[in-house]
């Protein structure tokens, strides 16, 4: 049985991936400093799966603490989720983003090298495509970033490529996520941002729950199907399954440096998401159209064919499932 070390495993995508890995027969070790999560998700991963695992409350930037994890456990591969992810905050405080996202990755890679663990899955983002060169976006599209958060992802991708060039015994899978939404069917784990959310789905959920009076839709004058922004929303469970497939491939291959888009290939507009949410959950979402949000792009969706062909993975859950499961999680919590 292979053992996977998950950094940031108490977070939104990490906790769902932990569940999928345990259910697919992997052993896991999880680390998180609870900067953007709490102990409940660790307990709930155990509750959902009925399985136990070691958890370390550590900062991934801290090499000594990481070395202890690698000394205590035989680790076969790592999935590196730990990082800060709020675009607006990264614009306001870029040094904090560069320090945490890049330092944690460098510390992790150095310790992995020291312990001869050379298989890594890294959480990148569709944000590395910046203003899309063409649609749908494939992995060879031009890369550019428009904010410090995106730059941390692009720089880390560069670090990983350089590392592989220096020693091609590494097996590295760079996963570029599109827009993860939804939650585990149990309602025990999901996305719960503190304060006022920046992203669309968590915002809609708070409006439906009457914590916020209405949704502001940022612009209806884009050249899209109905004028509102279009994104490739992907259910977090499908995304988590993509990580399992990506690890399976790392264990099959001698070595590799792969890049995969993880998206559905479908673009939905803000209005389509809002209307689907209203319909499947039978709730009200008052909204008003306001100015475009600075830095937003009109449209972004994936060409997921590389993952389909080489990971044998494809997103299966619908926009309806995403809306239902996001709402179920909030109602339960
Ligand atoms: P999240 O904030 O829910 O999870 C990240 C976890 O990492 C949190 O639990 C946080 O406490 C932890 N963490 C942060 N810095 C740490 C450190 N130095 N040491 C230990 N733990 C640390 O975010 P998420 O949505 O689960 O995202 C996971 C990864 O996927 C991130 O790298 C993010 O940038 C990337 N990503 C997310 C999205 C998205 O929309 N959610 C899209 C593309 C890429
Ligand atoms: N959006 C919106 N109101 C909000 C939050 C987001 O209209 O309160 C729109 C945004 O302009 C974009 C889409 O919803 O077109 C998705 O935004 P999100 O921040 O979730 O993802 P990203 O823009 O980072 O892909």
């Amino acid at each position: 049985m292979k053992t996977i070390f998950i950094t940031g495993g108490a977070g939104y995508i990490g906790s769902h991936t932990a569940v999928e890995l345990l259910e697919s027969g992997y052993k896991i070790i999880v680390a998180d400093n609870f900067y953007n999560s709490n102990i409940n998700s660790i307990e709930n991963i155990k509750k959902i799966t009925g399985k136990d695992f070691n958890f370390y409350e550590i900062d991934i930037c801290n090499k000594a603490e990481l070395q202890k994890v690698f000394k205590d456990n035989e680790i076969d591969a790592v999935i590196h989720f730990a990082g800060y992810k709020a675009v607006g905050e990264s614009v306001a405080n870029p040094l904090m983003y560069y320090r945490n996202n890049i330092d944690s990755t460098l510390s992790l890679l150095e310790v992995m090298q020291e312990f001869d663990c050379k298989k890594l899955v890294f959480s990148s983002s569709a944000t590395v495509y910046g203003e899309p060169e063409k649609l749908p976006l494939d992995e060879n599209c031009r890369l550019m970033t428009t904010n410090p958060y995106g730059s941390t992802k692009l720089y880390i991708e560069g670090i990983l490529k350089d590392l592989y060039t220096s020693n091609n015994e590494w097996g590295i899978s760079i996963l570029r996520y599109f827009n993860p939404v939804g939650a585990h069917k149990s309602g025990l784990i999901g996305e719960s941002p503190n304060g006022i959310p920046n992203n669309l789905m968590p915002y809609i959920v708070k409006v439906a729950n009457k914590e916020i009076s209405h949704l502001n839709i940022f612009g209806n004058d884009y050249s899209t199907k109905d004028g509102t922004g279009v994104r490739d929303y992907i259910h977090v469970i499908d995304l988590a399954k993509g990580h399992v497939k990506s690890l399976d491939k790392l264990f099959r291959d001698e070595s590799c440096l792969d890049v995969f888009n993880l998206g559905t290939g479908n673009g939905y507009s803000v209005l389509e998401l809002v209307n689907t949410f209203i319909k499947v959950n039978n709730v009200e979402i008052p909204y008003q159209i306001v100015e475009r949000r600075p830095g937003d792009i009109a449209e972004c969706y994936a060409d997921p064919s590389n993952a389909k062909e080489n990971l044998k993975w494809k997103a299966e859950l619908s926009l309806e499932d995403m809306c239902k499961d996001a709402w179920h999680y909030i109602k339960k919590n």
Side-chain angles (χ1 to χ4, degrees), residues 179 198-200 215-218 229 231 233 270 293 296:
N179 289 57
N198 295 305
N199 296 111
L200 182 59
L215 169 71
N216 290 316
I217 295 185
F218 300 138
R231 297 289 184 276
Y233 299 98
V270 176
R293 181 170 66 179
D296 264 1

Side-chain angles (χ1 to χ4, degrees), residues 75-92:
I75 294 173
D76 296 296
V78 179
I79 309 185
H80 182 34
F81 292 105
Y84 297 157
K85 62 166 183 177
V87 172
E89 189 180 53
S90 80
V91 174

Side-chain angles (χ1 to χ4, degrees), residues 10 34 37-44 55 57:
F34 296 135
S37 52
N38 59 57
I39 190 75
N40 293 343
S41 56
I42 299 300
E43 284 159 5
N44 285 332
F55 173 74
E57 186 176 343

Side-chain angles (χ1 to χ4, degrees), residues 273-287 323:
L273 182 60
V274 169
N275 288 328
T276 305
F277 197 96
I278 293 172
K279 194 176 90 200
V280 301
N281 295 318
N282 197 21
V283 292
E284 287 174 23
I285 311 283
Y287 65 80
C323 292

Side-chain angles (χ1 to χ4, degrees), residues 45-64:
I45 297 167
K46 295 182 180 175
K47 206 183 270 180
I48 292 169
T49 59
K51 294 188 178 157
D52 201 10
F53 53 86
N54 290 342
F55 173 74
Y56 293 81
E57 186 176 343
I58 58 167
D59 186 332
I60 306 300
C61 299
N62 185 321
K63 276 183 75 175

Side-chain angles (χ1 to χ4, degrees), residues 7-14 31-37 58-61 80-85 100 104 123-126 149 153 177-180 191 199:
T7 76
Y12 174 47
I13 305 170
D32 203 298
N33 64 357
F34 296 135
Y35 174 82
N36 195 35
S37 52
I58 58 167
D59 186 332
I60 306 300
C61 299
H80 182 34
F81 292 105
Y84 297 157
K85 62 166 183 177
N100 189 54
S104 60
S123 297
S124 189
S125 164
Y149 164 68
K153 294 294 177 192
Y177 313 152
F178 280 67
N179 289 57
E191 187 175 22
N199 296 111

